[in-house]
Amino acid sequence: KERDFMEGIFKFWGATDAKSKEAFPIDKFWDGRVRSYLGTRYDAGKNVYDMDFSMKLKERATLLDSREYATWRQTGVGFEVRDGVYDTPNRTLCSGIIKMIGDSKRLARGYWGDIVCSPYLTHGIYSPLKSMYEVRNRINVRTASEVAEHNLLSLIYQINSGHKYNKPPKPDRFSFAGNDKGEPTSATLEEVAEEDEEEKEEEEKKDDDKTVEITQKVENANISGGRRKKLTLMELDKPKSNVTVRLLPLGTMDQLPKKENLLKLFDLIYLSSSQVSYFTPELTALLRDDANLLIENVKFITPLTKDQEKGYLPKIRDMATKAKCELLGSNDEMNNNFHLSFHRVD
């Protein structure tokens, strides 16, 4: 049954006919969610967005811009990394829930994700580069979208190559307005020596030869049965990884501790803030003796009150004691981190 659901989802994502495109009018779904959430405050939405940003996110996510955040809250468009019209719905965000429609329960398709906290929190509010934190005239030089784009490129590059991503980020939004002193910049002509051009041509030729060599390897790579196997650059240049991804069905969390072959098997378990109810002795029995367990912090969940935020860590501490786990770090360190770290102790 779940496989049939998965097949239906993938077909919906890949459909290209006009009827399928109309099946997910994200702008209407988004506006409906916003109206339902704000209620009578809908007409004052901009003020609500500004208050949420100022009271909850400004000090905690310094790279996030208020206008960028307000635009996402109003339209649902979070990452405008290039010039263009963003009018094609992202159907991977579509999901269904059971809700009361009239007198009966029905499956309602729509957008049921986040409309308050923002998608920038994952990759757009932190960077190891100091240049990303530059401020001019009390305005961030970089937007959260630009930070997220650079961080994702770095992650993808490091996963594929195994090396650190050293390319500089794209020019910031003030690059064409002037220099650090506010003086206008002007284009300059660079004299290129004939030797430099020859070196460049030789490098391009080497790249072309390498491409031809890799293409020949791919064409000559066969598997049993005479079928050709399509190899990627990563497969050609690196040994195969021993990582396996296993997708588990719904309701698996309650069943995992009952399997003896999984006891003391895992090196790391991560729980979101909405799944902390699974932080039990049964779950920690799956961890190795030296393993860690991470739980999402709630510092960026804007709808929570200050009392709810303060009560979160003591609650998790009590659960950790029952589960025979110990908090790593002080309370102040944990309150400022993205997640809470626990270590299993026997």
Side-chain angles (χ1 to χ4, degrees):
K1 186 178 180 180
E2 289 179 343
R3 289 185 178 181
D4 293 338
F5 281 139
M6 294 289 289
E7 183 180 357
I9 290 171
F10 293 144
K11 286 183 178 179
F12 175 70
W13 288 355
T16 57
D17 56 288
K19 186 177 180 180
S20 298
K21 292 181 179 180
E22 295 174 359
F24 187 52
I26 183 60
D27 51 345
K28 294 180 181 179
F29 289 145
W30 185 272
D31 186 66
R33 288 285 311 285
V34 173
R35 286 179 181 273
S36 176
Y37 179 76
L38 296 180
T40 57
R41 301 181 300 165
Y42 179 79
D43 292 333
K46 292 183 178 180
N47 295 332
V48 175
Y49 310 149
D50 185 66
M51 183 178 68
D52 287 345
F53 176 81
S54 301
M55 300 295 290
K56 298 292 183 70
L57 295 174
K58 186 176 181 179
E59 295 182 357
R60 303 179 183 184
T62 56
L63 288 176
L64 184 57
D65 184 78
S66 60
R67 290 169 294 183
E68 189 176 23
Y69 175 73
T71 300
W72 173 79
R73 286 286 299 267
Q74 183 66 32
T75 65
V77 178
F79 300 96
E80 299 184 51
V81 295
R82 61 184 182 277
D83 294 333
V85 180
Y86 292 80
D87 58 354
T88 302
N90 181 0
R91 278 177 282 176
T92 63
L93 299 177
C94 180
S95 58
I97 62 171
I98 304 296
K99 62 182 301 186
M100 291 296 297
I101 301 178
D103 298 331
S104 60
K105 292 183 178 180
R106 297 183 182 179
L107 178 64
R109 173 184 284 175
Y111 173 77
W112 309 110
D114 172 40
I115 62 169
V116 178
C117 299
S118 87
Y120 308 111
L121 303 179
T122 308
H123 297 289
I125 61 173
Y126 169 79
S127 175
L129 302 179
K130 292 183 179 180
S131 60
M132 291 294 191
Y133 294 89
E134 184 181 354
V135 177
R136 298 183 191 174
N137 298 324
R138 294 182 295 180
I139 299 176
N140 291 331
V141 171
R142 299 286 181 178
T143 65
S145 298
E146 293 172 336
V147 175
E149 182 183 10
H150 186 267
N151 285 341
L152 286 172
L153 285 174
S154 302
L155 286 174
I156 294 171
Y157 178 84
Q158 291 180 40
I159 291 173
N160 282 331
S161 67
H163 302 289
K164 185 177 180 180
Y165 186 76
N166 293 316
K167 290 187 177 181
K170 292 181 179 180
D172 59 72
R173 49 181 168 172
F174 297 112
S175 295
F176 304 102
N179 57 21
D180 294 338
K181 299 179 181 180
E183 300 171 345
T185 57
S186 57
T188 58
L189 294 176
E190 182 180 355
E191 185 176 349
V192 180
E194 185 175 349
E195 293 81 0
D196 295 338
E197 283 200 359
E198 291 178 355
E199 290 180 2
K200 186 177 180 182
E201 289 178 358
E202 289 181 2
E203 290 178 358
E204 291 178 352
K205 185 178 180 181
K206 289 180 180 179
D207 291 338
D208 292 340
D209 293 340
K210 186 176 181 181
T211 303
V212 172
E213 181 182 355
I214 292 174
T215 303
Q216 290 175 347
K217 288 183 180 180
V218 173
E219 290 178 350
N220 295 331
N222 295 326
I223 59 175
S224 60
R227 296 182 180 178
R228 289 182 176 179
K229 180 182 178 183
K230 185 177 181 180
L231 300 179
T232 63
L233 293 178
M234 186 169 61
E235 289 176 317
L236 289 170
D237 299 336
K238 295 176 62 179
K240 291 186 178 180
S241 173
N242 58 354
V243 174
T244 302
V245 177
R246 296 180 180 176
L247 302 178
L248 302 178
L250 300 174
T252 303
M253 291 294 289
D254 294 325
Q255 302 299 322
L256 290 179
K258 299 178 182 179
K259 299 182 180 295
E260 293 185 2
N261 61 321
L262 298 181
L263 297 179
K264 293 190 176 184
L265 177 66
F266 296 92
D267 297 298
L268 178 68
I269 292 179
Y270 186 93
L271 295 176
S272 67
S273 59
S274 62
Q275 301 294 317
V276 293
S277 60
Y278 289 109
F279 191 13
T280 61
E282 290 76 18
L283 179 68
T284 54
L286 301 174
L287 291 170
R288 295 179 184 270
D289 293 334
D290 57 345
N292 291 337
L293 185 142
L294 305 181
I295 297 180
E296 180 189 14
N297 206 341
V298 294
K299 61 182 295 185
F300 296 112
I301 301 181
T302 55
L304 295 184
T305 64
K306 290 185 178 180
D307 291 338
Q308 289 174 325
E309 287 186 29
K310 290 180 179 179
Y312 183 73
L313 184 55
K315 177 183 176 181
I316 300 300
R317 274 185 175 276
D318 292 339
M319 300 176 73
T321 302
K322 296 177 182 178
K324 297 182 179 181
C325 288
E326 185 180 43
L327 180 65
L328 300 177
S330 64
N331 286 353
D332 292 337
E333 290 175 341
M334 290 299 100
N335 285 329
N336 293 323
N337 288 343
F338 291 97
H339 54 257
L340 310 175
S341 301
F342 294 89
H343 185 76
R344 179 181 172 178
V345 292
D346 291 325

